[in-house]
């Protein structure tokens, strides 16, 4: 987790620096070319909020890294064999990710075309597909075998 932690903090520093540069650049732009007067605040605020989000994610990863033992990626003396073994369970034949992507696309199209009924249908199907993905292995024949 330390590598990811550092990556997010370095990205946050970069975005904060770009926010300062962007603010200076929009203020210092020649008036006759840019067509506006003063700093362009929407971009500056968007960059600052992006930097704060990156800082928040980096802080969360730092807190998680303190609570767990170092992974092989975090240790300089680790061997390649230290990273062997199971990484988790990944469903090989699930159709729910496709349904989730399709639902998100429907909701996005509703936003793009300002069709709020389509946004509502898309968001409801996103919720349905998310629940289907989460509870995929807690229903059906597996559930009957446990009871």
């Amino acid at each position: 987790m330390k590598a990811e932690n550092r990556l997010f903090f370095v990205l946050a520093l970069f975005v904060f620096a770009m926010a300062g540069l962007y603010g200076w650049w929009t203020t210092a732009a020649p008036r006759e070319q840019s067509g506006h007067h003063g700093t362009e605040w929407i971009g500056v605020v968007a960059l600052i909020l992006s930097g704060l989000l990156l800082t928040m994610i980096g802080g969360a990863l730092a807190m998680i890294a303190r609570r767990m033992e170092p992974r092989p990626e975090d240790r300089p003396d680790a061997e390649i064999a230290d990273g062997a073994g199971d990484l988790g369970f990944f469903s090989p034949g699930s159709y729910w990710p496709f349904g989730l992507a399709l639902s998100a696309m429907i909701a996005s199209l509703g936003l793009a075309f300002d069709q709020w009924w389509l946004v509502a249908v898309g968001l409801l199907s996103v919720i349905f597909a998310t629940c289907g993905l989460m509870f995929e292995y807690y229903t059906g024949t597996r559930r009957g075998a446990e009871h």
Side-chain angles (χ1 to χ4, degrees):
M1 287 290 185
K2 290 183 181 180
E4 295 91 349
N5 172 17
R6 284 190 216 116
L7 177 70
F8 276 98
F9 282 136
V10 167
L11 283 172
L13 286 175
F14 173 76
V15 170
F16 285 135
M18 290 301 107
L21 179 66
Y22 185 77
W24 171 78
W25 200 337
T26 57
T27 303
R31 303 289 186 235
E32 58 276 353
Q33 290 178 358
S34 64
H36 75 281
H37 305 287
T39 304
E40 198 272 311
W41 287 107
I42 294 175
V44 173
V45 170
L47 286 169
I48 289 172
L49 289 176
S50 298
L52 289 174
L53 180 64
L54 288 167
T55 304
M56 182 180 72
I57 295 171
L61 289 174
M63 285 178 19
I64 291 170
R66 274 189 247 132
R67 283 190 250 149
M68 61 186 282
E69 62 185 48
R71 300 177 307 164
E73 295 89 2
D74 298 329
R75 295 191 333 250
D77 62 335
E79 298 288 328
I80 294 175
D82 292 340
D86 288 336
L87 296 177
F89 175 73
F90 304 99
S91 180
S94 177
Y95 290 107
W96 286 110
F98 176 73
L100 190 59
L102 185 66
S103 303
M105 183 193 72
I106 290 171
S108 299
L109 283 173
L111 280 173
F113 292 113
D114 200 24
Q115 299 293 320
W116 296 107
W117 64 272
L118 195 58
V119 173
V121 168
L123 289 179
L124 286 174
S125 52
V126 162
I127 292 170
F128 178 74
T130 303
C131 291
L133 183 65
M134 284 176 30
F135 298 117
E136 180 175 15
Y137 288 97
Y138 296 105
T139 59
T141 58
R142 174 170 256 203
R143 182 176 160 225
E146 291 175 0
H147 291 294

